[in-house]
Amino acid sequence: MTGWEQVALVAAGLGAGLLTSTVGVASLLSFPVLIALGIPPVVANASNTLGLIPASLGGSLGYRRELRGQPGVTWVLVLTAAIGSVGGAVLLLALPSSVFESIVPWLILFTCLLVGAQPWISRWLRSRRHPDDTHPRTTLSPATTIFAGLTGVYGGYFGAGAGVMMMAVLSLGLDLDLRIVNALKTLALLAANVVAGLIFVFVADLDYTAVGLLAAGSVIGGYTGSHLGRILPPTLLRILVVLAGLVAAITMF
């Protein structure tokens, strides 16, 4: 690997870290760079998952103030995403990549629609509640937990757009500020990547040079991105998430 290729990977890690803590489509940037350097797709996918763990870690540290305010949801979500990612990692190693290639872009497009329409959907859901039920939803319902787990499966399998999917699930299932949802999403991705990454260390082929260079850039990007995500207005953040998801879906068609 040449010096310029190493610089490109560090830069990709930095950019992916920023995306991890904000709009949640980090692999849209880092995975194509790995492929362009000639790394086989499955090796690139596994290496990308491991290399972006510091991005989610840095982002979660940056969001620690938001996470401290929701301890119950935080721990349930961490366990749900971690368990789901085990299934995703197994699928990556056992199935041909063509299995999900045809449906993933449509899945990302659907979740973009959910993120964009979330304010209207949430208002409709609130209008359907019993008049005496005025308490905000601050715990994960069984349905939200199941869909968060399925998102963890996808995150362990490939991950491009997993952040957008998790934002949609949590935005619809919880009555929390979008900034807090973003923090929870970042931590969920960390849990999914850590578990899947550990599996890949033992059973998958990895390019450890690429992993290290991505990690070096991504930890800085993740921490910086958390501060950007905190100050972005909710409407602008939602627009950016939808746009990033659309780009991810179009790229994967």
Side-chain angles (χ1 to χ4, degrees), residues 87-114:
V90 172
L91 288 175
L92 175 65
L93 299 173
L95 298 177
S97 59
S98 59
V99 173
F100 281 158
E101 282 179 355
S102 60
I103 65 170
V104 165
W106 296 105
L107 187 59
I108 295 176
L109 284 175
F110 178 67
T111 54
C112 284
L113 175 64
L114 291 180

Side-chain angles (χ1 to χ4, degrees), residues 125-138 175:
L125 290 174
R126 283 194 294 269
S127 71
R128 305 289 294 179
R129 293 189 204 172
H130 192 277
D132 294 333
D133 184 9
T134 58
H135 298 289
R137 297 170 300 164
T138 57
D175 294 324

Side-chain angles (χ1 to χ4, degrees), residues 102-229:
S102 60
I103 65 170
V104 165
W106 296 105
L107 187 59
I108 295 176
L109 284 175
F110 178 67
T111 54
C112 284
L113 175 64
L114 291 180
V115 171
Q118 181 266 327
W120 293 276
I121 296 174
S122 294
R123 280 197 291 270
W124 180 79
L125 290 174
R126 283 194 294 269
S127 71
R128 305 289 294 179
R129 293 189 204 172
H130 192 277
D132 294 333
D133 184 9
T134 58
H135 298 289
R137 297 170 300 164
T138 57
T139 58
L140 294 175
S141 68
T144 304
T145 302
I146 290 171
F147 281 108
L150 292 175
T151 305
V153 172
Y154 175 71
Y157 180 82
F158 181 54
V164 176
M165 295 179 190
M166 190 63 78
M167 286 280 283
V169 169
L170 298 179
S171 295
L172 292 174
L174 297 169
D175 294 324
L176 296 175
D177 186 87
L178 194 63
R179 170 179 45 86
I180 299 174
V181 170
N182 204 7
L184 291 169
K185 173 265 295 179
T186 302
L187 185 63
L189 294 181
L190 172 61
N193 283 349
V194 165
V195 173
L198 287 174
I199 294 173
F200 295 152
V201 165
F202 290 103
V203 300
D205 292 327
L206 295 165
D207 187 320
Y208 283 101
T209 299
V211 169
L213 292 170
L214 279 178
S218 72
V219 66
I220 299 171
Y223 188 77
T224 304
S226 68
H227 293 283
L228 291 175

Side-chain angles (χ1 to χ4, degrees), residues 18-38:
L18 288 169
L19 293 174
T20 294
S21 301
T22 50
V23 296
V25 288
S27 294
L28 176 65
L29 175 61
S30 54
F31 183 71
V33 172
L34 293 172
I35 295 297
L37 293 178

